[in-house]
Amino acid sequence: MQHVFRHHDKSQFVVNVYSVSSSSNNRDDDDDDDGPEVRAIREGSDAFAYLSPSSMTPGDMYRRMLDDELDVLVDLCGYAGTSAMAEIMASRARLLRRGEDRNDTDDDDDDRRRRRRFPMHVSYMGFPGSVGSTEVWDYSVFDPIVIPSDARDHYDEALVYMPHCYFVNSHRTVVGATTTGDYDGNGVATVASTTRVEEGEEIERTSSLRAEYGIHPSAFVYCCHSRPDKIDPSTFRSWMRALERVRASKKCPGVVPPVLWLLRSGEEMERNLRRWVRREFGDDAGDCLVFADVAERSEHLRRLGVIADVFLDTPAYNAHTLGCDALYMGVPMISLLRPSEQTDGRDTADSKLDLEFAADVDSSNNARRPSDYGQHEEGSRFIATKKLASRVGASLLAAIGIGLEDELVHPDMDRYEDAMVRCALDEEWFANVRRRLVSSRDSSPLFDTVRWVRNLEAAFRAMAEVGGLDSYGSGADELPDIWVSDHD
C-alpha cells in the first residue's frame, strides 16, 4: 500500500507516518537510503519519522506520536510480526489508568493536554481478525463480505464497513510499472501489454517463458503460488480430482494434460506430494505437478501473467496480495465461500494425506481412480469459510464489479471443482471471463485506490466527530459501527 498515502486529500488531512521496527535503529528521519517502497511512502506523507524500539520504550514512542496531536492513529501491524505496535497502542490505556490515579496538581502541562485528547486507535491490514480489545484499539476496518452480520458478535472493537473490498492495493501505480516500466502523465502505470489474454498475445514469448519453467506451451495451467502452508489436504485432494477429470476428457493423441503449478517449499514437500499423487491417481498423474521457486516481485508478476491460466484460491486461508496480483494480471481466481449457515467445520477422512502406501493399492500398482471415490457428499471434505481470512477471495472478486463472483466464487467444493474443470474445457466461456476481467481492471473498485482512500477518509471524519478519548473506559464498547457510503 506504499502509494496509498499520496492519494489523501492534503487540504483536509495531514498524514504522519511512523516506521517502528528494528531497521529503524540509528536511522535519520531525512535518511534517503531507503528502498522504493519506503521512498514512495515518505513522498506521499506530510511527515515521516523513524522510531527505534531499541532506544525508546513503547510509552516513549507513543508519547512521541502524541506530540503530533493526531486525531486518528492507524496500526498496520496488530498482532502480526513483532509485538512492538501492539505495545505502543496499549500505552494509551496505561496513560489513562495513570491519569485516574494522579491529581492534576502532580501532572505537568503536557500530561494534562495528552489526557484531554487521545487519538482514535484503528487496526487495519496487518492482522486479519478481531484485535479482541476495546482498550487498545477502537476500530478495525473491514467490509460486509469478510465480516457478515452473523459474525459481528465475535468482534469486540467497533467496525468500519467499507463499501467494497477492505483490502487496499496500489496495483494501478505499481504493478504496471513493475512489468512495463511505463507511467502515464498522472503517475498511473500503463499496463496494456502486461497480460497475455489481450488481443495480439505474444505466443512466442509465452512459449519461451513456459519452457523456462518446465511447462508445455499448450498445457492448461492451474496455479497456486500462495504459501504452501495455506494448502490444506482436503483442498489439494479436490484440485487433483479436478485435474484428473480434465485429463480423462482429453485423453487423445497430441493433447497435453493440465498441470498444477505450485510454489516450492523444499525437496520434502515436492517428494511427498508427487508420491501421494502417484499413489492416488496413477504414475502418470505425478507429472502434472510443477514447482517454482520464490521469485523477485517483478519476475513473480511476469510469470504469473504470462504462464498461469487460472489461480486457485486456498479456502482455509485466502490469497490477499497474491489474489490482487492474479486478478490484475488478468488471471481468473476460483474461490470458496459457503453460505453463512454452513459454518461447522469438522474432521474428515479427507483432512489428511496418508503418505504411507495403503493396502488398497493393488499389486499392479494402479492407484484408486477418482471414479472410485464417487461424488462425495460435501460433508466428507468440509472446509469452513467462517473466519475472515477465508472470505477475502470472495471480497476481492465481488469488488471487480462485473459479476464474476457469481461464476468464480462457489458455495461448496463440488462446484469449486466443477469450475476448475469448466475453465479448462469450455474455451468460449473461459475466454469471455478473461476478457471481462481485463476490461474491468481500470474501472473496478478493487483497483481504484483513490476511491478507496476517499471512502476511508469518510470513516476518519466520522471518527473525528465522535472525538478522542478523555477518560479510561470510554472506548469501543460505546462507539458506533461506521458504514461507509461509496465515494465514486
Side-chain angles (χ1 to χ4, degrees), residues 307-470:
I307 296 177
D309 289 298
V310 172
F311 187 86
L312 302 177
D313 201 7
T314 44
Y317 196 115
N318 289 174
H320 291 55
T321 300
L322 195 54
C324 293
D325 291 346
L327 295 173
Y328 196 79
M329 299 305 291
V331 181
M333 178 173 71
I334 301 175
S335 194
L336 176 74
L337 183 66
R338 298 184 182 282
S340 58
E341 66 271 12
Q342 294 184 3
T343 56
D344 57 326
R346 49 191 177 273
D347 293 332
T348 71
D350 273 2
S351 64
K352 63 180 180 179
L353 300 182
D354 180 8
L355 296 176
E356 297 298 326
F357 285 93
D360 56 5
V361 180
D362 65 30
S363 57
S364 63
N365 201 32
N366 290 324
R368 291 172 294 169
R369 313 304 296 174
S371 58
D372 297 325
Y373 290 104
Q375 280 295 323
H376 282 217
E377 290 295 325
E378 185 55 29
S380 68
R381 43 192 167 90
F382 193 98
I383 304 164
T385 59
K386 185 175 183 179
K387 63 181 181 292
L388 188 154
S390 298
R391 307 176 67 87
V392 173
S395 180
L396 296 175
L397 284 161
I400 288 293
I402 55 172
L404 279 178
E405 68 272 22
D406 295 333
E407 297 170 85
L408 298 175
V409 181
H410 297 280
D412 56 57
M413 287 305 293
D414 285 329
R415 276 172 277 197
Y416 183 114
E417 288 181 28
D418 290 344
M420 287 181 62
V421 174
R422 187 181 187 187
C423 286
L425 301 184
D426 192 339
E427 295 181 4
E428 182 177 353
W429 170 82
F430 184 64
N432 180 56
V433 167
R434 297 199 71 160
R435 280 194 298 269
R436 289 161 58 199
L437 177 58
V438 172
S439 66
S440 72
R441 182 167 50 196
D442 293 334
S443 60
S444 73
L446 181 60
F447 299 115
D448 191 340
T449 311
V450 174
R451 183 176 180 176
W452 185 94
V453 171
R454 295 292 174 268
N455 289 332
L456 185 66
E457 288 177 342
F460 286 164
R461 290 190 183 93
M463 293 178 197
E465 290 177 3
V466 173
L469 304 183
D470 57 10

Side-chain angles (χ1 to χ4, degrees), residues 189-402:
T190 57
V191 292
S193 63
T194 58
T195 153
R196 66 189 182 85
V197 301
E198 295 164 334
E199 292 186 16
E201 65 178 338
E202 302 173 21
I203 297 176
E204 183 177 349
R205 178 172 66 106
T206 301
S207 299
S208 175
L209 191 59
R210 284 188 166 209
E212 183 179 332
Y213 282 93
I215 297 173
H216 193 282
S218 301
F220 192 90
V221 180
Y222 296 100
C223 172
C224 180
H225 284 180
S226 294
R227 296 194 321 263
D229 59 284
K230 288 187 176 184
I231 305 174
D232 67 275
S234 296
T235 296
F236 185 75
R237 199 182 289 266
S238 293
W239 291 349
M240 290 309 306
R241 274 193 283 259
L243 260 71
E244 186 63 14
R245 288 168 59 185
V246 175
R247 276 163 45 91
S249 69
K250 290 188 172 184
K251 280 191 174 179
C252 53
V255 176
V256 179
V259 299
L260 178 58
W261 194 27
L262 303 173
L263 201 62
R264 180 177 285 112
S265 180
E267 294 181 1
E268 185 177 10
M269 168 200 174
E270 184 173 347
R271 181 173 61 253
N272 284 343
L273 289 181
R274 288 193 191 280
R275 179 187 182 193
W276 180 86
V277 166
R278 289 190 174 110
R279 192 199 86 186
E280 295 289 320
F281 294 93
D283 288 340
D284 293 343
D287 297 333
C288 74
L289 298 182
V290 180
F291 295 87
D293 292 321
V294 175
E296 294 291 333
R297 182 151 179 78
S298 59
E299 176 62 14
H300 152 70
L301 292 168
R302 182 175 78 107
R303 69 187 187 185
L304 181 64
V306 172
I307 296 177
D309 289 298
V310 172
F311 187 86
L312 302 177
D313 201 7
T314 44
Y317 196 115
N318 289 174
H320 291 55
T321 300
L322 195 54
C324 293
D325 291 346
L327 295 173
Y328 196 79
M329 299 305 291
V331 181
M333 178 173 71
I334 301 175
S335 194
L336 176 74
L337 183 66
R338 298 184 182 282
S340 58
E341 66 271 12
Q342 294 184 3
T343 56
D344 57 326
R346 49 191 177 273
D347 293 332
T348 71
D350 273 2
S351 64
K352 63 180 180 179
L353 300 182
D354 180 8
L355 296 176
E356 297 298 326
F357 285 93
D360 56 5
V361 180
D362 65 30
S363 57
S364 63
N365 201 32
N366 290 324
R368 291 172 294 169
R369 313 304 296 174
S371 58
D372 297 325
Y373 290 104
Q375 280 295 323
H376 282 217
E377 290 295 325
E378 185 55 29
S380 68
R381 43 192 167 90
F382 193 98
I383 304 164
T385 59
K386 185 175 183 179
K387 63 181 181 292
L388 188 154
S390 298
R391 307 176 67 87
V392 173
S395 180
L396 296 175
L397 284 161
I400 288 293
I402 55 172

